[in-house]
Amino acid sequence: MPAYAIAHLQEAAPHPEIAEYIERIPTTFEPYGGRFLVHAVQHEVKEGSWPGHVVVIGFPGIAEARAWWDSPAYQEIAPLRSRHIEGEIILVEGVPEGYDPTTTAKAMREALPAEQPSGSVGAPC
């Protein structure tokens, strides 16, 4: 299953270290089959608040995403970003081909407490 590194990064003032990070990051994820799916584009907020920027890097699987994050090459350049940009970054596994969300809904419904018949007030004393 594919996996993704997703970053929600806050606005930051331009800095030479950020430019260097952006120049160097592609070579850190290429050995793990990673590639930018979302980068340096505007996003449209439909609900809530989402200030800053969105970055999505796709990987063939969660093992590759974790290996990239933990790699010496990425860990070497990570401070170039983190010293200047605050944000959140997650690794998440995608869903398999043919994923059916109704199975999740069914499991959720089965976990709900049983409904009492209409008109019942509760257990008798």
Side-chain angles (χ1 to χ4, degrees):
M1 283 185 284
Y4 307 94
I6 303 172
H8 177 210
L9 304 174
Q10 302 307 309
E11 293 286 341
H15 193 280
E17 286 191 342
I18 297 171
E20 180 181 349
Y21 173 83
I22 293 169
E23 290 167 347
R24 292 176 60 187
I25 191 170
T27 61
T28 69
F29 55 67
E30 287 169 358
Y32 305 97
R35 68 181 188 90
F36 278 118
L37 300 177
V38 177
H39 187 254
V41 295
Q42 293 293 323
H43 61 274
E44 187 174 334
V45 178
K46 294 296 189 182
E47 266 187 56
S49 172
W50 196 294
H53 303 279
V54 179
V55 177
V56 180
I57 303 168
F59 292 91
I62 195 70
E64 291 87 351
R66 288 178 181 138
W68 162 73
W69 181 264
D70 295 333
S71 71
Y74 182 68
Q75 290 303 311
E76 179 183 320
I77 68 166
L80 298 173
R81 174 196 42 81
S82 64
R83 282 194 288 260
H84 305 284
I85 303 174
E86 291 187 26
E88 299 81 31
I89 300 173
I90 63 170
L91 300 180
V92 62
E93 193 167 34
V95 297
E97 189 74 31
Y99 169 74
D100 181 0
T102 62
T103 58
T104 301
K106 181 181 177 188
M108 187 180 292
R109 288 190 183 283
E110 289 171 356
L112 293 171
E115 292 184 29
Q116 294 183 357
S118 294
S120 66
V121 180
C125 297

